[in-house]
Amino acid sequence: MFYIVLIVILAALIIQSVYLVYYKNQIKDIGNQLSFISDHHSFKMIQTQIKPKEIHRLIDLCNAMLRDQRKLKQDFIEQKEEIHATIMSLSHDIRTPLTSLDGYLQLAERSEYLKEKKEYISLAQTRMKQIITLVDELFLYTKLKNPDYILELEPVDVIKVLNKRLFTFIDDFLRSGYEPNICMVEAPLFIVGNESALERVFENVIKNYFMHSEGALSIRYEEKQDEVLFHFSNVLKRNHLLSLDNIFTRFYKADPSRTNQSSGLGLFIVKSLMEKMNGYVQADLNDDQYCISLAFKKIVKES
């Protein structure tokens, strides 16, 4: 009986020793796999032949860390490509008015006639304003790309802000030969927003009208239980193509020749600011009728 017990214990010790050696080899194999993945930047995942609970958890944790690391690396590559694309796009947009600005100033310097000098200086000032607008949009774009950038929200009279912004485009409407058709309430209408951001949203939407439309701009509001919508609609320019899937993406331009001095950031900024004000924007195109709708959260003004 004693020898039987001794044999059983000895057999158990042998089995345990073999298992521990195998267990140790598995840990060593995991280390070798990690080393290979790190040295060769491999996209392999760690695998093993046996999976005790502890080994299984270790492999799951290692593979989770590898997936996170690869995602961070991919995000870094995409951000690097985005920065490169941003620099290339804006360098082209800024270089064009800068070149013409330099040309107008040279012509003004050479001209012997006062009237001609004034015309060239006026054209140079126009180009300077375009450059300032492009740089300003780039600055706002970089701020909006920062996830920590937060707008301070408060009750804002959206009708007052819209009327104020429309007033600044009086000369543009006169040059177009069309007055906007406006259908809005005259009483104050308060929404949750930020006045400066709201001004930029309306400014960019109206600028978008002058770039892509012909005929009169129609502005109407639609009031719902907890939100208020503003619809900016017009007739799209003849032979003018718009991609509604891309219209709110950065640097999108309906004009591939890039003849207009636009950064392509206008509606991207609108979308980003609307989201930060807990609203949304959408675009619709029915035949030649082009409409941009802005939706804000409505509040009741406190007495």
Side-chain angles (χ1 to χ4, degrees), residues 49-299:
Q49 296 177 0
I50 62 170
K51 290 189 177 181
K53 182 183 288 187
E54 299 81 5
I55 294 289
H56 182 73
R57 176 165 172 75
L58 176 62
I59 290 174
D60 284 347
L61 290 173
C62 288
N63 286 336
M65 290 178 66
L66 287 172
R67 282 190 288 269
D68 291 342
Q69 185 183 42
R70 288 163 189 169
K71 186 178 184 304
L72 286 173
K73 184 178 180 180
Q74 184 62 35
D75 290 344
F76 175 78
I77 293 172
E78 291 176 358
Q79 288 177 8
K80 186 177 179 180
E81 291 175 349
E82 183 177 339
I83 291 171
H84 178 72
T86 301
I87 293 172
M88 292 294 293
S89 178
L90 286 169
S91 64
H92 178 281
D93 292 328
I94 294 174
R95 189 188 306 117
T96 303
L98 269 177
T99 302
S100 58
L101 170 63
D102 180 62
Y104 289 136
L105 290 176
Q106 288 185 36
L107 290 170
E109 185 179 10
R110 296 171 186 172
S111 178
E112 299 177 357
Y113 303 100
L114 181 61
K115 182 179 179 181
E116 200 174 58
K117 281 181 179 290
K118 288 182 178 179
E119 289 178 356
Y120 288 137
I121 291 173
S122 176
L123 289 170
Q125 289 173 336
T126 301
R127 293 294 183 266
M128 182 62 73
K129 290 178 181 177
Q130 289 174 350
I131 295 169
I132 292 172
T133 300
L134 288 169
V135 173
D136 182 50
E137 287 193 343
L138 175 60
F139 179 66
L140 181 55
Y141 165 74
T142 55
K143 286 202 299 185
L144 290 171
K145 289 292 289 181
N146 183 358
D148 296 329
Y149 177 65
I150 299 175
L151 289 176
E152 293 185 5
L153 303 181
E154 60 184 358
V156 180
D157 182 358
V158 64
I159 302 296
K160 178 182 177 181
V161 176
L162 177 55
N163 286 332
K164 177 182 175 183
R165 189 46 59 194
L166 281 169
F167 183 77
T168 63
F169 285 92
I170 284 181
D171 291 339
D172 299 276
F173 283 115
L174 288 174
R175 281 193 292 269
S176 72
Y178 295 96
E179 292 184 7
N181 299 319
I182 303 174
C183 179
M184 291 189 298
V185 291
E186 295 183 4
L189 183 61
F190 286 85
I191 56 98
V192 178
N194 176 282
E195 186 167 342
S196 297
L198 202 54
E199 286 185 3
R200 174 54 67 92
V201 166
F202 287 139
E203 177 181 338
N204 285 5
V205 171
I206 296 170
K207 282 182 177 179
N208 187 261
Y209 153 74
F210 285 113
M211 282 192 292
H212 300 301
S213 73
E214 56 188 13
L217 171 66
S218 173
I219 306 175
R220 67 179 180 87
Y221 93 105
E222 178 185 0
E223 197 167 348
K224 296 185 178 180
Q225 183 175 358
D226 58 350
E227 65 179 10
V228 57
L229 293 91
F230 288 85
H231 305 286
F232 296 77
S233 57
N234 53 264
V235 177
L236 197 65
K237 284 182 180 178
R238 196 172 303 171
N239 299 323
H240 203 70
L241 300 177
L242 280 179
S243 171
L244 294 185
D245 293 333
N246 299 314
I247 196 170
F248 294 110
T249 58
R250 62 182 183 86
F251 306 127
Y252 171 76
K253 293 188 179 184
D255 178 14
S257 66
R258 307 171 69 92
T259 54
N260 59 65
Q261 295 302 320
S262 164
S263 66
L265 292 172
L267 291 184
F268 173 85
I269 288 174
V270 168
K271 182 176 183 292
S272 299
L273 289 175
M274 289 298 295
E275 289 173 351
K276 287 189 177 293
M277 291 189 288
N278 300 318
Y280 62 89
V281 58
Q282 64 183 36
D284 297 294
L285 187 61
N286 295 317
D287 295 328
D288 59 349
Q289 288 293 321
Y290 172 46
C291 179
I292 292 180
S293 300
L294 305 171
F296 303 93
K297 282 191 174 181
K298 184 178 64 174
I299 61 174

